[in-house]
Amino acid sequence: MSNTRRLVIVGGVAAGMSAAARARRLDEHAEIVVLEQSDYVSFANCGLPYHLSGEIERREDLLLHTPESLRAALALDVRTGSRVTAIDRDAREVTVATADGEYRLGYDALLLAPGAVAVRPPIDGLDDPAVHTLRTVPDVDALLARVGERPGRAVVIGAGFIGLEAVEALAGRGVEVALVELADHVLPPLDVELAPLLADELRAHGVTLHLGLSARAVTTGDDGTVVTLSDGSRLPADLVVLSVGVRPASDLARDAGLALGDRGGIRVDGDQRTSDPHIWAAGDVVEVTSAVTGATGPVPLAGPANRQGRRAAESMLGHRTTPQAPVLGTAIVRVFGQTAAVTGASPATLDRAGIPHETVRVHGGHHAGYFPGAEQVHLVASFAPDGRLLGAQAVGRAGVDKRIDVLATALRAGMTADDLAELELAYAPPYGSAKDPVNMLGFVAQNVLDGTMPQWHAADADRVLADSLVLDVRSRAEYDRGHLPGALLIPHTELRGRIEQVRAAAAGRPVAVHCASGVRSHIATRVLIQHGLDARNLSGGWLSLDLARPDLTRRHSGD
């Protein structure tokens, strides 16, 4: 390989710097130029909210490398304050704008890794000085300066992953926070029945929620800054954080005539090569494929971006590559004391894609229940009719990260309900259970998929109340604290002796059984089926029903 071979990388941070570092390790002689339009080429952008909160005290800890340190360690030519404005594909040159003017730079191989930019929805007044985003080091500097002047009140627009991190950070600084989200629940990628756990946690920490509403305008007058919502309400604010998502920064690629996907991401092959054989792309700017649905589009996550950068470098240098795998979209967020995590496709996504599936729910302890401090892990998982895992979600105060990582690995490996049931996971009372919640997902899914346990769901509640006998197999004390209207109470330990009472009450109707979490009612459902009754078990029990249909459960609460 010629010593004069030049690799030009547009953009630093995750994908760009991963590519540059990998390229240098593979080829000591290549000329590697990194062009970064900002002043920061390598920083921990995922750590920005935690610097805003004060948990990461030193700003310097976010700055992983400088041009000088990269030159010393990897002989990289890193040029900050350098914005690429055009690509001449025929000449294999890019035009670079700097504070001192423009110049053209040739390349043998070009990598586009400019990342993504914040979406600017049609809200009047987004140029108001009170409006901020949280994506770069200057962004967090500006927010800290604003908070330092006067903590006051903040409005966060968007309750996605970054929006929730911003809420937690600002609240931790003593800011009074209002959260606005167009969807009907916080963290829209999360299943609707798990989201109330996060909403309750937010409210418990003083956050005011405005769900199902959009921001229409940001105005500043004599009475300060005000955010006006779609219902006409007005929220006073000393600062506004806009966090409604990002879009690929693909304008440069579009102007150069490279192929883009329907959602604006650059189309690449399995080696990150674009429609031009001399240009590669990686990170938030590219289009990826969902491992479950097959849908294509950008997925702005740091893990895939780093792997794509590494792969692009290998391909640019003619090295053996590991072809890009479809993306699972595994993500996690802390919301004060709760943690929420997702991997694969949610039930709602599967429904929209028309993919057949069964969804199961468990509410297990993060370690053995008899060991002090056990916390519930609320798990929802979907399986194909042949048993393959399609996606999972979890919320809880402990143990969520462990379970979602296991499930993400299982999903990547194409594991089935049978495989989850047989996983041999580490067990000691302080760490887990002999039957881990992941195993329990497998057991429950096995029963559902093979017909051993027919089930009904919280979403079916209105129909079930209309055409079925609801059999509550909890204790009298649990029943008295709240029960469904018309429900027949028979504790599961008494059921075998009262089968004829159930048969008479059902009068030919199906029997919809439930308990608190689905365990006792599973036993009851099996008893009823083997006595010739048409019985189904409520998936996730009263816990799932209360999360998904609080309008129903709390209207009939005895508390």
Side-chain angles (χ1 to χ4, degrees):
M1 182 176 295
S2 170
N3 290 349
T4 61
R5 181 171 174 80
R6 178 184 290 159
L7 279 59
V8 174
I9 298 172
V10 180
V13 196
M17 292 316 304
S18 291
R22 179 61 172 168
R24 174 57 73 222
R25 291 194 295 271
L26 293 176
D27 188 342
E28 180 62 22
H29 304 292
E31 180 184 358
I32 303 172
V33 182
V34 180
L35 302 171
E36 168 58 44
Q37 65 179 350
S38 76
D39 293 331
Y40 304 95
V41 70
S42 181
F43 65 93
N45 54 352
C46 293
L48 295 176
Y50 304 102
H51 180 49
L52 178 59
S53 71
E55 290 177 86
I56 299 175
E57 295 182 7
R58 291 173 6 104
R59 179 179 184 273
E60 293 75 15
D61 291 340
L62 297 173
L63 308 179
L64 306 179
H65 290 286
T66 65
E68 293 75 21
S69 69
L70 290 166
R71 180 179 293 278
L74 295 169
L76 299 178
D77 181 359
V78 177
R79 307 177 189 181
T80 57
S82 300
R83 182 169 62 91
V84 177
T85 59
I87 302 170
D88 184 335
R89 292 167 56 188
D90 293 330
R92 293 192 206 168
E93 291 181 337
V94 294
T95 300
V96 186
T98 72
D100 299 322
E102 285 190 348
Y103 66 92
R104 291 168 69 92
L105 178 67
Y107 62 82
D108 295 300
L110 174 66
L111 173 64
L112 300 179
V117 294
V119 169
R120 288 176 63 88
I123 300 173
D124 292 338
L126 288 186
D127 293 327
D128 189 292
V131 179
H132 300 260
T133 55
L134 183 52
R135 288 189 52 76
T136 67
V137 174
D139 286 344
V140 78
D141 289 343
L143 279 165
L144 282 170
R146 193 94 181 188
V147 171
E149 292 170 5
R150 180 179 58 179
R153 298 162 297 191
V155 174
V156 177
I157 303 173
F161 288 95
I162 303 301
L164 291 176
E165 289 173 343
V167 166
E168 184 188 57
L170 291 168
R173 289 280 185 178
V175 177
E176 181 184 327
V177 183
L179 178 59
V180 179
E181 171 55 51
L182 181 60
D184 61 0
H185 65 279
V186 299
L187 198 58
L190 192 67
D191 195 78
V192 65
E193 71 183 70
L194 294 179
L197 293 162
L198 303 185
D200 288 346
E201 186 74 3
L202 288 162
R203 293 188 184 100
H205 285 81
V207 179
T208 304
L209 302 184
H210 302 269
L211 304 177
L213 298 171
S214 61
R216 292 291 176 83
V218 179
T219 55
T220 298
D222 294 338
D223 57 349
T225 300
V226 173
V227 179
T228 303
L229 305 185
S230 53
D231 66 351
S233 57
R234 292 163 55 83
L235 306 179
D238 297 296
L239 65 91
V240 178
V241 178
L242 182 66
S243 183
V244 295
V246 297
R247 65 169 181 83
S250 56
D251 293 353
L252 183 65
R254 180 200 62 211
D255 293 344
L258 299 179
L260 304 183
D262 293 339
R263 293 170 56 193
I266 302 174
R267 285 184 173 164
V268 295
D269 65 12
D271 291 333
Q272 306 299 141
R273 196 187 301 258
T274 71
S275 55
D276 184 308
H278 303 288
I279 303 176
W280 287 254
D284 294 354
V285 75
V286 304
E287 179 181 78
V288 297
T289 301
S290 165
V292 178
T293 67
T296 57
V299 175
L301 292 172
N306 277 279
R307 292 189 290 275
Q308 291 161 12
R310 176 186 175 91
R311 184 181 304 109
E314 293 169 345
S315 179
M316 293 164 78
L317 291 169
H319 196 268
R320 181 190 66 83
T321 64
T322 303
Q324 180 176 182
V327 171
L328 301 177
T330 307
I332 191 167
V333 64
R334 187 187 70 189
V335 182
F336 297 105
Q338 293 277 15
T339 299
V342 300
T343 190
S346 68
T349 298
L350 294 169
D351 287 340
R352 288 193 297 269
I355 296 175
H357 63 282
E358 287 282 358
T359 298
V360 301
R361 301 158 180 88
V362 301
H363 306 277
H366 89 286
H367 61 51
Y370 58 82
F371 191 85
E375 297 280 0
Q376 277 189 322
V377 179
H378 305 274
L379 281 167
V380 175
S382 296
F383 296 83
D386 64 3
R388 285 177 300 111
L389 178 66
L390 299 175
Q393 305 192 336
V395 175
R397 296 189 178 278
V400 167
D401 52 344
K402 172 180 176 177
R403 273 73 193 193
I404 215 68
D405 282 344
V406 169
L407 291 165
T409 304
L411 187 54
R412 171 64 69 211
M415 288 186 176
T416 66
D418 292 343
D419 296 320
L420 294 188
E422 292 299 322
L423 280 180
E424 187 174 335
L425 303 175
Y427 162 56
Y431 300 104
S433 299
K435 291 188 287 189
D436 189 86
V438 172
N439 297 129
M440 293 303 301
L441 280 177
F443 296 147
V444 175
Q446 285 176 322
N447 288 332
V448 170
L449 292 168
D450 69 11
T452 299
M453 189 185 74
Q455 61 179 354
W456 64 284
H457 303 275
D460 306 325
D462 293 329
R463 176 185 56 77
V464 164
L465 288 172
D467 66 15
S468 303
L469 169 67
V470 176
L471 178 63
D472 188 332
V473 297
R474 298 175 298 165
S475 67
R476 166 61 69 176
E478 291 171 290
Y479 181 89
D480 287 344
R481 286 196 294 269
H483 58 268
L484 292 175
L488 172 63
L489 171 66
I490 299 180
H492 79 290
T493 54
E494 302 174 15
L495 181 60
R496 290 182 176 85
R498 298 171 66 178
I499 293 293
E500 294 311 312
Q501 181 185 351
V502 177
R503 197 185 307 278
R509 295 177 295 163
V511 182
V513 191
H514 82 83
C515 66
S517 65
V519 177
R520 288 171 288 175
S521 50
H522 168 56
I523 297 170
T525 299
R526 291 299 304 150
V527 170
L528 294 173
I529 288 173
Q530 293 175 81
H531 281 82
L533 287 156
D534 178 6
R536 293 178 177 272
N537 184 20
L538 173 58
S539 178
W542 185 267
L543 282 168
S544 287
L545 184 66
D546 190 44
L547 289 170
R549 291 294 307 274
D551 60 310
L552 184 63
T553 57
R554 293 169 195 182
R555 187 166 71 243
H556 300 282
S557 173
D559 290 342

